[in-house]
């Protein structure tokens, strides 16, 4: 069985909540410090996205590519429905510049939405949302593929393929079938084998009593034999 991929971001929020117990969020000085850190992080991240925007627009890579749709999140161990097969019309025909600008805009929108919601929540509730987003926003930006390409020089994804899973020729039925087969392989590996031991439920006490009553009712009654009269013998 293939081991599910562990995302360390699942530990970030519990860790922040644990260590934030040492902070007095009602203290005006602490509150001002949290707000200052949050605003600084948002400004730095937006500045980073603006830098990526200038790099993409400056390069002007108009090479034609076909990008498959993003994979939907799946549950580990083969749980949940099977992924829907990809169709030819699901591919996005674009260029490197257009697709990378799209990823940059999506990153900016995520920062603005999460930052704005967190700031409004801090005004009515607790500033804990600002503290969490001060950590999560940079982590989310570090996963942006455009940043990995232009700052880290990465040209391949984790599976060793193209960074955006892009194709340089229009997809055909054969390539789409191969891609669907590759996507279905992890789900089949996570599924339990057919010969795996299964857990069977034991019958409850009420079911046992019901079964006993049904067996008694279906059991044929004993037939009494009447004595037969023998020759020369009178039965009084």
């Amino acid at each position: 069985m293939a081991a599910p991929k562990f995302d360390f971001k699942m530990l970030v929020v519990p860790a922040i909540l644990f260590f934030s117990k040492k902070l007095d969020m009602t203290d005006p000085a602490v509150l001002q410090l949290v707000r200052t850190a949050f605003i600084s992080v948002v400004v730095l991240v937006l500045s980073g996205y603006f830098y990526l925007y200038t790099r993409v627009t400056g390069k002007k890579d108009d090479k034609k590519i076909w990008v498959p749709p993003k994979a939907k999140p799946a549950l580990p161990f083969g749980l949940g429905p099977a992924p829907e097969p990809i169709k030819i019309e699901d591919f996005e025909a674009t260029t490197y510049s257009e697709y990378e600008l799209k990823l940059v805009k999506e990153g900016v929108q995520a920062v603005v939405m999460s930052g704005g919601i967190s700031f409004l929540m801090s005004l009515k509730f607790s500033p804990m949302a600002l503290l969490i987003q001060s950590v999560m926003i940079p982590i989310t930006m570090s996963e942006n593929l455009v940043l990995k390409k232009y700052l880290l020089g990465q040209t391949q994804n984790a599976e060793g393929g193209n960074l955006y899973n892009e194709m340089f020729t229009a997809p055909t039925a054969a390539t789409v079938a191969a891609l669907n087969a590759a996507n279905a392989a992890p789900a089949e590996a996570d599924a339990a084998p057919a010969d795996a031991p299964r857990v069977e439920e034991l019958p409850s006490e009420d079911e046992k009593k019901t079964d006993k009553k049904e067996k008694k009712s279906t059991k044929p009654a004993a037939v009494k034999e009447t004595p037969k009269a023998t020759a020369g013998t009178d039965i009084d």
Side-chain angles (χ1 to χ4, degrees):
M1 180 180 294
K5 295 181 180 180
F6 178 77
D7 189 358
F8 79 98
K9 289 193 300 183
M10 299 172 59
L11 301 177
V12 173
V13 175
I16 294 175
L17 295 176
F18 177 78
F19 288 106
S20 64
K21 295 180 180 179
K22 300 180 180 180
L23 300 177
D24 184 9
M25 292 297 181
T26 60
D27 187 354
V30 175
L31 179 59
Q32 184 64 27
L33 181 62
V34 171
R35 288 178 176 175
T36 303
F38 171 75
I39 295 174
S40 301
V41 167
V42 171
V43 171
L44 288 175
V45 169
L46 291 179
S47 300
Y49 278 120
F50 178 75
Y51 170 75
L52 295 177
Y53 174 82
T54 57
R55 289 290 302 272
V56 173
T57 55
K59 189 175 182 180
K60 295 182 180 179
D61 191 347
D62 295 331
K63 185 176 181 179
K64 191 80 171 180
I65 58 174
W66 284 262
V67 183
K70 294 182 180 180
K72 296 181 180 179
L75 297 175
F77 305 111
L79 300 176
E84 297 182 0
I86 300 175
K87 303 177 182 178
I88 295 179
E89 54 267 22
D90 295 335
F91 282 77
E92 179 182 358
T94 181
T95 63
Y96 271 113
S97 296
E98 293 175 354
Y99 187 72
E100 289 171 353
L101 286 177
K102 175 185 175 182
L103 295 181
V104 171
K105 291 179 181 178
E106 289 177 353
V108 173
Q109 291 174 356
V111 173
V112 174
M113 289 293 295
S114 60
I117 294 174
S118 300
F119 187 78
L120 293 176
M121 290 179 61
S122 67
L123 296 177
K124 293 186 176 182
F125 304 103
S126 171
M128 184 62 63
L130 299 181
L131 184 61
I132 293 175
Q133 290 301 322
S134 298
V135 179
M136 293 301 299
I137 288 177
I139 293 177
T140 303
M141 183 186 181
S142 66
E143 297 176 344
N144 191 285
L145 297 178
V146 181
L147 181 143
K148 292 181 179 181
K149 177 179 179 179
Y150 288 97
L151 292 185
L152 304 181
Q154 185 172 336
T155 58
Q156 294 181 338
N157 55 25
E159 290 76 19
N162 294 329
L163 184 60
Y164 308 125
N165 290 323
E166 70 272 21
M167 300 171 59
F168 304 114
T169 57
T172 61
T175 57
V176 172
L179 185 59
N180 287 327
N183 293 336
E188 294 177 357
D190 289 339
D195 57 348
R198 298 180 180 179
V199 179
E200 297 182 359
E201 294 185 1
L202 297 176
S204 62
E205 295 296 330
D206 295 337
E207 292 177 350
K208 290 181 179 179
K209 294 179 180 179
T210 304
D211 293 340
K212 290 181 180 179
K213 291 180 179 179
E214 291 178 353
K215 290 180 179 179
K216 290 181 179 180
S217 61
T218 57
K219 186 177 180 181
V223 179
K224 295 182 179 180
E225 295 184 357
T226 56
K228 297 181 179 179
T230 57
T233 305
D234 294 335
I235 300 176
D236 296 332

